[in-house]
Amino acid sequence: MASEVDKSLLIIILDVNLSQRIVRQETKVLTQCLDSTIVFANAHLMQKSNNQLAVMACHAHGSLFLYPDEKHSEVRQIDGQYERFTLVERSVRQRLQEAISEIRTDRPLNSESLIAGALSMALCYVSRLEREKVAGEKLNSRILVITASNDSASQYMNYMNVFFTAQKMGLILDVCSLDQELTLLQQGCDITGGNYLKVAQLSGLLQYLLWVFLPDPSIRSKLVLPPPVKVDYRAACFCHQELVDIGYVCSVCLSIFCKFSPICTTCHTVFKMPGPMPLKMKKKKKNIDAVH
Amino acid sequence: MAEEEDEKEYRWETGYEKTWEAIKEDDHGMLEASVADIIHKAKRKRQSERKGGARLGMMRHLFIILDCSASMMNQDLKPTRLLCSIKLLEDFVDEFFYQNPISQMGIIVTRNKRAEKISDLTGNPKKHIKELQNLQHTALTGEPSLQNSLELALKSLRLLPSHASREILILIGSLTTCDPGDINPLIKTMKVEGVRCSVIGLAAELCVCKRIASATGGEHSVVLDDKHYKEQLNAHIDPPPATTRLDAALVKMGFPHHALHNSTTDAAMTVCMCHAESTDESSRLMSTGYLCPQCLSKHCELPVECRACGLTLVSAPHLARSYHYLFPVKPFREIAYESNTPSSCFGCQKSFSNTEKKVYICDKCMNVFCVDCEIFIHESLHTCPGCANNPDTFLKNADSLPAT
Amino acid sequence: MSNTISGKNLLRPTGLRCKNLHEYLKSRPPDILNKLYHNPPICLAVFRELSEIARHYVMRLLFVEQPVPQAVIASWCSKLHSEEHQRVVQVLNELNVWNEASIPGGLPGWILNSTFKKNLKIVLLGGGKPWTMSNQLETDSKPRDVAFLDSYALERWECVLHYMVGSQQQEGISADAVRILLHAGLMKLDEEDGSPVITQAGFQFLLLDTASQVWYFILQYLDTIEARGLDLVECLTFLFQLNFSTLGKDYSTEGMSEGLLTFLQHLREFGLVYQRKRKAGRFYPTRLALNIATGQNKPLSSDLEKEGYIVVETNYRVYAYTNSNLQVALLGLFCEMLYRFPNLVVSILTRDSVRQALKSGITAAQIVGYLRQHAHSKMIEAGPPTLPPTIADQIKLWENERNRFLFSEGVLYSQFLSQTDFEVLRDYALNTGVLIWQSERKRTVVVTKAGHDDVKRFWKRYTKGSN
């Protein structure tokens, strides 16, 4: 329809945790990542006048929006840069500076970044924009996570909730890892249909971003992009945190165990010992017996 | 009968409800604000009814009994009762499997005093939807038979392991049923077997339906229009609290590998097990798929019961999709907006203006949210952004779940 | 995109063509193009008008210093879309965004136009000189908000349109603007009294959306710019600076050349900028100036037009919630007016009223496009389709009604002496595929002009043979 207008919203979540391995090795890395991210953000805005942008930072103690920022919306051009880009650059840098100086030092710093928290805020933000849009407007949203920290299993629940909500909202999650393979976020990419990329050379970060993550999902099929990675969907058991091919699932809370145990450690349910079972269960019963 | 004594009285037997008093005009004599308020309150109410931590029957086994008698030709639901039901059921099936990924469903139709199983218990929504669509041009004849169809459903449900929840959902448009014998013993059997039977009537309330529902712990309702019909159906998407006599068990499951672009050139093109027997166009050779860890047979989608060895195959996210029922976000506390509350919503960053009368606070992380975010968090996200962003609280959400 | 009715498509039928930015630039001499690329705002505007794939090509090449082999660039686009790739290559060549360059190994390659690259980088990364209008300003004592600017812009623009339809309000439009209207062929001088009257093209112009109107008008203005002694490059640069400015912000006129100040006054007259006084030293761009050249990536039309006001029902009634004389007059071009209320006009689409419009050169697509552009938000919510399909189809059918005759040039053969002569000639024409029409009773044949020589030769041979 002529009356339908597409808008493309990109939310960038930049991990600024100071205890990331690559940052601890060389502090300059963070500045370099920030520079690349800002240029990439502006490159997105440069594509179309309708494109929208939000930038978030996340670290071990929380996350916050760097742009848009209602407090700093006035800016005058100082050089040939497009005014809107200057505004992005300035408010991101300013807000990040404030944020980093606010990080409390009385807490151990080496904890993990709260990426799932940042993602959940991003989803709230997207759902607000969806509510506020006018008739005849179509909002295509996606989230890009740029991180060098590990995705830890302690946020597993939050991650999964975020992934499924994103899938339901038709929102795409892209992940750019700077350091290690992120199995959880990889699953998120696969569930939502986004791209996952582990950057091989940090010095070329901007080029990686422009190549892989700048194209809108609608045009990705036309451009040749790296093939999808093999996602490991195996579950880890709750008892030993080991990946299992075949496991036992508690019928009440769906916790996964690698061996049969008489009591569920999650919901404290006592299981019926495998006794005489109806017809259909015969095969399974044999297997259980074999384990013991 | 014990159940009938505590039954609530009928609407026409209650006293006057002064519904108009709930609506108040604002300064300009408009009603919109007041109506919005009522809608909002209703939404809040639904959430507060949802209790967390209850034992829910996760591996659900549901039979849908659909009336295909002559009464379904009636056009009080547009275009006809049957077509309306089919349309709504299609959505229902999708949403059911989205929310209950490792559950199974079967469909029975009843007409001409007979019952016929059109799809057996399986976890594949596509099959059900296909069968439902085939029903569109079916002949609607005779009377339905409640007893026959319940017995047919019971025959399958009886075989299930004791940890699985057994449910029947009846959609009946007829005001009569033609049964071969007394239905009361059957109701007792269902009660003993722990089958929860709910009824949605399309015409009017029937005593027998009401009795079946109340005796087996199910729900009974009569639809008012198609919207109400949809709501009534959707009420069955959330898993019902498990009855206490349900046995818990550990179920063996397989977590298959994603056989995608397998290493080198050895990814031979093969037909997956799910489509090996069918000859239609959907059975084509593929190199991708999921391999059963027990017998290495290939399947094209999850979750599925392995055709070769009967192992239930799921992926870890499938299980995770149900976790939010076990660990729901606690309802937020409603507080009046004052000057000392934060200036913007923690979730969506919307700045509160004076028009905001109520804001919501999470008691765990003490962050403040707007109305819309509050609803969004409880209805779809199931994670409090405040708690997830607080290094002290983000774990508590999952503290009983040491995670993977 | 095929069913989108852009300004360009609307104008095609009668030859009034509105060029988009690229077409305009392509029609300029190459040295002007290079001069234009020295200005970052123009580079940004050109970049934004490129197709999506072309934009990604440019982005990928932006930080590459050496030429890149053509084969490598071709491999960026998936094989299924190679046609699109070809089109992109052609556009980038035509606009001189990239140049051919050979790579040491002898392979043909492409390298971005260095001026274009340098200035696009300035836009993105900073550096270079600030744009002319961005001098520091003290805060305005009486700042103007967005709502004020919108109403101002709309009022000024409607003034021009009002003048065209000959509504009562004829003040407030300068001789300069009239000259542009005449130059653009939107109005012409009446043969009798010499006063300007609207032309066919003018009617079509009126039915465009505001953004396309402004762009068309500006293009026509630019044509006359050199005659006014203004510098085209300077004015275009300024125009695109306006395009990329922020609504509701004031900008300084300090440091602007005399020519630019004149240009600014012209823009002020059409409502593209707001200035309190001629010498105020500051000005506010309005929505009309923003996104001026965005042909394909149009912002929401409701941004510009405020609210749609037309409701079309399947019974051919058209309800317009408006009290603007201009809007009523525009509807009157193709509707029959029934009632008028303070905020509502009721009219009906009839065969006669639509034919009337068709006769004056308006096309069915334009009518449908106009109704769709200004559809009431309730209609948009109810859609798609926004308009009842029966109405849209019927308007098109009414147009087709007028196209029942098919004209084809031909040569008439008649007065055959015998039925056999006639039949021989007719069958020959039929077999060679040049027959247009024949009548056995009248012994008449019409063949195409192209086939005439051949048929004539055949006839001569035939008559000789029979003799």
Side-chain angles (χ1 to χ4, degrees):
Chain A
M1 280 314 298
S3 53
E4 188 150 281
V5 175
D6 277 299
K7 281 193 173 181
S8 169
L9 168 70
L10 171 68
I11 300 179
I12 302 177
I13 297 175
L14 179 65
D15 190 345
V16 295
N17 195 344
L18 298 175
S19 56
Q20 296 174 96
R21 194 182 59 84
I22 53 164
V23 178
R24 263 180 310 173
Q25 281 171 352
E26 174 124 44
T27 339
K28 267 203 316 223
V29 170
L30 196 61
T31 331
Q32 192 208 331
C33 289
L34 182 66
D35 288 343
S36 303
T37 309
I38 291 174
V39 173
F40 172 71
N42 281 334
H44 172 74
L45 285 181
M46 192 160 101
Q47 301 295 309
K48 281 181 199 169
S49 54
N50 282 338
N51 280 4
Q52 289 182 311
L53 175 76
V55 184
M56 295 177 73
C58 108
H59 49 80
H61 297 164
S63 8
L64 74 161
F65 275 84
L66 303 177
Y67 176 89
D69 179 17
E70 267 122 41
K71 275 172 269 169
H72 311 92
S73 52
E74 266 296 291
V75 72
R76 286 256 169 233
Q77 232 177 5
I78 37 163
D79 54 12
Q81 194 180 23
Y82 178 20
E83 199 167 64
R84 206 170 152 199
F85 299 168
T86 316
L87 176 66
V88 171
E89 181 153 1
R90 202 166 312 161
S91 59
V92 166
R93 285 187 198 279
Q94 225 162 17
R95 292 271 288 157
L96 189 60
Q97 207 168 18
E98 290 166 21
I100 288 185
S101 58
E102 272 171 22
I103 294 181
R104 286 158 60 183
T105 44
D106 54 344
R107 275 213 205 111
L109 260 178
N110 55 350
S111 48
E112 57 191 290
S113 300
L114 299 170
I115 296 173
L119 284 171
S120 62
M121 280 169 83
L123 289 183
C124 285
Y125 183 71
V126 171
S127 83
R128 170 186 150 201
L129 293 188
E130 287 279 351
R131 280 192 302 272
E132 286 175 356
K133 71 179 182 186
V134 273
E137 190 182 311
K138 195 163 166 282
L139 191 67
N140 302 312
S141 322
R142 59 196 168 104
I143 301 178
L144 169 66
V145 178
I146 303 173
T147 178
S149 47
N150 201 356
D151 53 348
S152 89
S154 53
Q155 296 182 64
Y156 184 78
M157 279 272 297
N158 291 340
Y159 272 127
M160 285 303 157
N161 284 335
V162 165
F163 295 160
F164 292 123
T165 312
Q167 185 194 26
K168 218 173 173 182
M169 292 165 75
L171 195 146
I172 282 175
L173 177 69
D174 291 327
V175 175
C176 179
S177 165
L178 308 180
D179 194 21
Q180 44 211 320
E181 291 291 350
L182 307 172
T183 49
L184 263 179
L185 283 167
Q186 232 172 40
Q187 293 185 13
C189 291
D190 194 58
I191 291 170
T192 58
N195 280 349
Y196 172 85
L197 180 77
K198 187 184 159 303
V199 170
Q201 268 182 315
L202 206 56
S203 54
L205 176 62
L206 178 60
Q207 281 291 24
Y208 280 111
L209 291 176
L210 291 180
W211 274 66
V212 180
F213 298 110
L214 189 61
D216 270 342
S218 55
I219 203 168
R220 284 184 185 174
S221 61
K222 292 186 186 172
L223 293 168
V224 177
L225 290 173
V229 283
K230 185 176 168 182
V231 184
D232 191 355
Y233 268 131
R234 280 181 304 164
C237 67
F238 286 21
C239 36
H240 307 93
Q241 316 284 319
E242 272 170 47
L243 291 174
V244 288
D245 279 335
I246 299 179
Y248 295 89
V249 175
C250 167
S251 69
V252 177
C253 66
L254 302 184
S255 312
I256 304 158
F257 302 98
C258 57
K259 278 193 209 137
F260 185 87
S261 71
I263 190 162
C264 172
T265 51
T266 308
C267 61
H268 310 293
T269 314
V270 182
F271 297 125
K272 207 173 75 172
M273 284 307 283
M277 278 198 184
L279 269 171
K280 208 183 171 193
M281 291 302 285
K282 262 190 179 157
K283 272 183 233 149
K284 291 181 185 174
K285 185 189 136 202
K286 266 183 211 151
N287 291 329
I288 291 166
D289 287 342
V291 171
H292 290 266
Chain B
M1 281 210 179
E3 287 88 8
E4 283 183 1
E5 281 161 23
D6 52 44
E7 242 171 44
K8 65 173 200 285
E9 54 192 346
Y10 284 104
R11 188 87 176 238
W12 59 82
E13 293 170 344
T14 58
Y16 277 131
E17 282 177 54
K18 298 180 178 170
T19 46
W20 55 90
E21 281 182 3
I23 298 171
K24 294 209 172 59
E25 286 182 10
D26 65 4
D27 299 340
H28 306 288
M30 306 295 259
L31 297 175
E32 276 166 22
S34 174
V35 171
D37 208 41
I38 291 170
I39 293 170
H40 175 60
K41 270 187 193 143
K43 274 189 176 165
R44 292 269 308 165
K45 188 168 163 252
R46 196 166 73 219
Q47 281 161 26
S48 57
E49 278 167 359
R50 228 184 243 177
K51 282 185 270 345
R55 284 176 45 144
L56 300 164
M58 280 300 190
M59 293 172 194
R60 301 176 64 186
H61 293 83
L62 172 71
F63 258 110
I64 294 177
I65 298 177
L66 180 64
D67 184 358
C68 275
S69 64
S71 63
M72 292 300 276
M73 275 189 277
N74 202 320
Q75 298 187 342
D76 50 2
L77 292 169
K78 300 295 172 207
T80 66
R81 280 184 188 172
L82 182 78
L83 293 178
C84 180
S85 303
I86 289 174
K87 195 84 213 127
L88 292 176
L89 274 178
E90 280 173 25
D91 295 342
F92 173 78
V93 170
D94 264 339
E95 190 64 15
F96 179 86
F97 283 107
Y98 182 81
Q99 299 277 355
N100 308 282
I102 49 172
S103 298
Q104 298 194 318
M105 185 193 274
I107 300 173
I108 292 172
V109 296
T110 168
R111 65 186 142 199
N112 254 347
K113 313 175 188 82
R114 288 196 178 81
E116 181 197 350
K117 199 189 285 177
I118 60 164
S119 70
D120 212 340
L121 279 180
T122 122
N124 184 357
K126 284 193 193 113
K127 188 164 174 269
H128 297 303
I129 289 174
K130 204 172 151 198
E131 291 297 340
L132 280 171
Q133 280 164 346
N134 287 345
L135 271 184
Q136 277 179 9
H137 305 292
T138 192
L140 300 173
T141 47
E143 279 181 291
S145 170
L146 271 182
Q147 194 185 1
N148 284 338
S149 38
L150 283 175
E151 259 167 9
L152 185 64
L154 203 58
K155 215 158 60 186
S156 297
L157 289 175
R158 222 181 237 149
L159 300 177
L160 292 175
S162 51
H163 62 262
S165 90
R166 306 155 184 199
E167 295 166 56
I168 296 175
L169 175 62
I170 304 177
L171 308 176
I172 188 163
S174 169
L175 292 175
T176 54
T177 162
C178 185
D179 295 343
D182 185 8
I183 200 168
N184 285 312
L186 181 64
I187 297 175
K188 285 215 183 76
T189 328
M190 291 207 298
K191 206 171 158 190
V192 172
E193 293 282 346
V195 178
R196 185 177 186 269
C197 182
S198 303
V199 184
I200 297 179
L202 307 186
E205 186 174 303
L206 296 181
C207 180
V208 63
C209 293
K210 182 124 190 161
R211 191 175 305 153
I212 293 174
S214 56
T216 59
E219 287 158 23
H220 177 249
S221 58
V222 177
V223 303
L224 304 172
D225 54 22
D226 52 345
K227 280 209 182 98
H228 186 243
Y229 193 2
K230 194 181 171 86
E231 265 171 44
Q232 293 303 317
L233 270 179
N234 284 350
H236 292 275
I237 285 172
D238 290 347
T243 44
T244 40
R245 67 161 290 285
L246 210 69
D247 287 315
L250 278 181
V251 184
K252 194 173 172 185
M253 284 190 191
F255 301 98
H257 292 266
H258 202 191
L260 176 83
H261 302 294
N262 235 352
S263 53
T264 45
T265 49
D266 64 341
M269 302 286 266
T270 45
V271 176
C272 62
M273 290 296 285
C274 344
H275 293 115
E277 284 149 34
S278 65
T279 49
D280 54 350
E281 74 292 334
S282 61
S283 65
R284 50 204 166 113
L285 293 165
M286 284 184 299
S287 60
T288 58
Y290 300 92
L291 300 179
C292 168
Q294 195 160 263
C295 64
L296 292 181
S297 54
K298 195 170 86 172
H299 299 270
C300 61
E301 55 179 16
L302 297 180
V304 70
E305 192 168 285
C306 176
R307 286 288 180 101
C309 63
L311 189 68
T312 309
L313 304 179
V314 294
S315 69
H318 277 123
L319 297 178
R321 198 172 279 184
S322 306
Y323 287 159
H324 68 81
Y325 286 117
L326 301 159
F327 311 101
V329 185
K330 293 235 169 60
F332 293 167
R333 196 152 43 84
E334 188 175 277
I335 53 171
Y337 177 65
E338 285 155 20
S339 51
N340 58 353
T341 43
S343 63
S344 65
C345 165
F346 186 81
C348 69
Q349 311 295 311
K350 191 171 91 177
S351 39
F352 296 130
S353 55
N354 286 327
T355 53
E356 224 89 27
K357 285 179 205 117
K358 296 278 178 5
V359 292
Y360 298 86
I361 186 165
C362 170
D363 279 329
K364 214 192 266 173
C365 61
M366 302 311 276
N367 281 307
V368 177
F369 297 91
C370 64
V371 185
D372 294 315
C373 277
E374 195 256 7
I375 292 170
F376 176 70
I377 288 165
H378 284 97
E379 287 196 344
S380 26
L381 190 54
H382 305 295
T383 292
C384 167
C387 299
N389 266 311
N390 189 326
D392 296 327
T393 53
F394 84 92
L395 272 173
K396 278 189 194 149
N397 222 357
D399 50 3
S400 49
L401 248 193
T404 53
Chain C
M1 281 306 284
S2 63
N3 56 355
T4 324
I5 294 162
S6 68
K8 200 175 67 188
N9 289 341
L10 278 178
L11 284 166
R12 191 166 293 146
T14 45
L16 178 73
R17 267 180 63 71
C18 179
K19 288 173 181 161
N20 63 24
L21 176 66
H22 283 171
E23 285 164 333
Y24 176 74
L25 290 179
K26 273 185 248 168
S27 65
R28 299 298 105 182
D31 58 316
I32 296 241
L33 203 59
N34 248 336
K35 252 192 239 164
L36 287 172
Y37 284 158
H38 278 287
N39 301 293
I42 292 189
C43 291
L44 181 55
V46 169
F47 176 79
R48 278 215 175 141
E49 289 289 295
L50 289 171
S51 74
E52 196 152 9
I53 289 186
R55 285 200 300 265
H56 286 293
Y57 283 5
V58 172
M59 283 317 293
R60 288 177 175 194
L61 291 172
L62 192 59
F63 296 97
V64 178
E65 296 304 325
Q66 319 82 354
V68 177
Q70 296 187 357
V72 170
I73 292 178
S75 74
W76 288 351
C77 189
S78 101
K79 291 280 168 293
L80 293 170
H81 300 92
S82 58
E83 283 167 30
E84 212 157 331
H85 170 77
Q86 294 304 330
R87 238 176 294 142
V88 164
V89 167
Q90 196 196 345
V91 168
L92 292 179
N93 275 331
E94 279 173 356
L95 285 172
N96 207 10
V97 169
W98 68 19
N99 306 118
E100 293 219 10
S102 64
I103 294 165
L107 287 164
W110 276 307
I111 186 162
L112 280 190
N113 179 337
S114 58
T115 329
F116 182 80
K117 182 160 82 180
K118 188 174 129 227
N119 286 294
L120 197 62
K121 270 191 188 167
I122 288 178
V123 169
L124 183 61
L125 307 172
K129 279 184 295 186
W131 300 1
T132 39
M133 57 191 200
S134 53
N135 277 318
Q136 294 297 324
L137 264 181
E138 292 161 33
T139 37
D140 196 342
S141 53
K142 279 181 261 166
R144 298 297 179 172
D145 62 351
V146 175
F148 171 83
L149 292 174
D150 278 351
S151 67
Y152 171 80
L154 220 58
E155 183 201 312
R156 290 303 317 158
W157 189 248
E158 284 197 350
C159 222
V160 177
L161 301 185
H162 265 294
Y163 178 76
M164 288 180 65
V165 286
S167 307
Q168 300 85 349
Q169 298 134 300
Q170 295 208 349
E171 313 86 54
I173 181 155
S174 72
D176 239 359
V178 177
R179 232 170 289 142
I180 294 166
L181 288 174
L182 289 172
H183 167 84
L186 300 176
M187 301 189 89
K188 62 169 189 269
L189 292 177
D190 196 74
E191 277 152 18
E192 284 160 28
D193 58 355
S195 65
V197 288
I198 191 160
T199 62
Q200 277 197 6
F203 280 122
Q204 294 170 34
F205 176 80
L206 287 176
L207 294 180
L208 294 177
D209 58 302
T210 314
S212 311
Q213 282 173 352
V214 172
W215 176 238
Y216 185 80
F217 193 78
I218 289 291
L219 278 185
Q220 298 301 328
Y221 176 84
L222 290 175
D223 274 351
T224 64
I225 209 161
E226 262 144 1
R228 294 159 196 271
L230 298 177
D231 181 23
L232 178 68
V233 175
E234 198 181 30
C235 289
L236 256 185
T237 310
F238 181 72
L239 201 62
F240 285 111
Q241 284 178 9
L242 278 183
N243 182 15
F244 296 117
S245 57
T246 314
L247 190 64
K249 234 173 92 173
D250 53 341
Y251 293 88
S252 162
T253 56
E254 209 183 301
M256 280 165 66
S257 70
E258 204 49 47
L260 267 188
L261 285 174
T262 327
F263 183 54
L264 187 70
Q265 288 311 314
H266 285 149
L267 295 180
R268 182 184 170 200
E269 189 188 334
F270 308 135
L272 268 70
V273 296
Y274 169 79
Q275 247 189 327
R276 202 167 311 132
K277 288 194 296 277
R278 210 185 163 89
K279 299 264 178 255
R282 75 177 77 229
F283 64 92
Y284 292 84
T286 70
R287 238 186 255 278
L288 292 181
L290 263 63
N291 303 315
I292 192 168
T294 43
Q296 46 172 331
N297 315 320
K298 230 173 258 172
L300 256 191
S301 54
S302 63
D303 275 356
L304 207 60
E305 321 265 342
K306 284 304 199 195
E307 284 271 293
Y309 58 92
I310 294 178
V311 176
V312 183
E313 289 188 344
T314 47
N315 58 5
Y316 295 91
R317 292 222 170 192
V318 178
Y319 301 87
Y321 290 87
T322 178
N323 45 20
S324 143
N325 285 332
L326 173 67
Q327 285 165 349
V328 175
L330 284 179
L331 268 186
L333 289 177
F334 53 84
C335 288
E336 195 181 312
M337 291 296 158
L338 294 180
Y339 320 111
R340 180 148 192 191
F341 301 107
N343 68 338
L344 172 70
V345 178
V346 182
S347 56
I348 190 162
L349 281 164
T350 64
R351 180 165 172 270
D352 287 339
S353 69
V354 171
R355 279 172 65 87
Q356 190 63 39
L358 295 171
K359 268 182 213 155
S360 63
I362 298 170
T363 65
Q366 284 168 339
I367 297 176
V368 173
Y370 182 82
L371 291 175
R372 190 174 288 152
Q373 271 158 26
H374 298 275
H376 197 276
S377 55
K378 292 278 180 213
M379 299 252 303
I380 297 173
E381 272 167 36
T386 319
L387 293 183
T390 45
I391 305 291
D393 289 347
Q394 184 61 66
I395 294 176
K396 279 177 194 137
L397 287 176
W398 278 328
E399 183 185 47
N400 288 346
E401 241 174 43
R402 287 168 44 81
N403 301 335
R404 276 178 300 187
F405 287 114
L406 195 68
F407 295 96
S408 42
E409 233 172 328
V411 178
L412 180 84
Y413 288 75
S414 60
Q415 293 174 341
F416 289 94
L417 293 173
S418 70
Q419 185 70 14
T420 16
D421 283 357
F422 162 75
E423 274 168 10
V424 166
L425 190 90
R426 181 198 63 189
D427 291 346
Y428 178 79
L430 191 68
N431 289 335
T432 48
V434 294
L435 182 74
I436 294 174
W437 184 83
Q438 58 100 8
S439 161
E440 211 153 306
R441 201 171 47 79
K442 290 182 185 164
R443 288 189 193 164
T444 311
V445 175
V446 179
V447 300
T448 60
K449 211 170 179 192
H452 170 57
D453 288 343
D454 186 38
V455 173
K456 197 163 82 183
R457 247 176 279 129
F458 169 78
W459 181 244
K460 278 193 178 143
R461 250 181 296 141
Y462 174 76
T463 42
K464 258 183 209 155
S466 63
N467 284 342

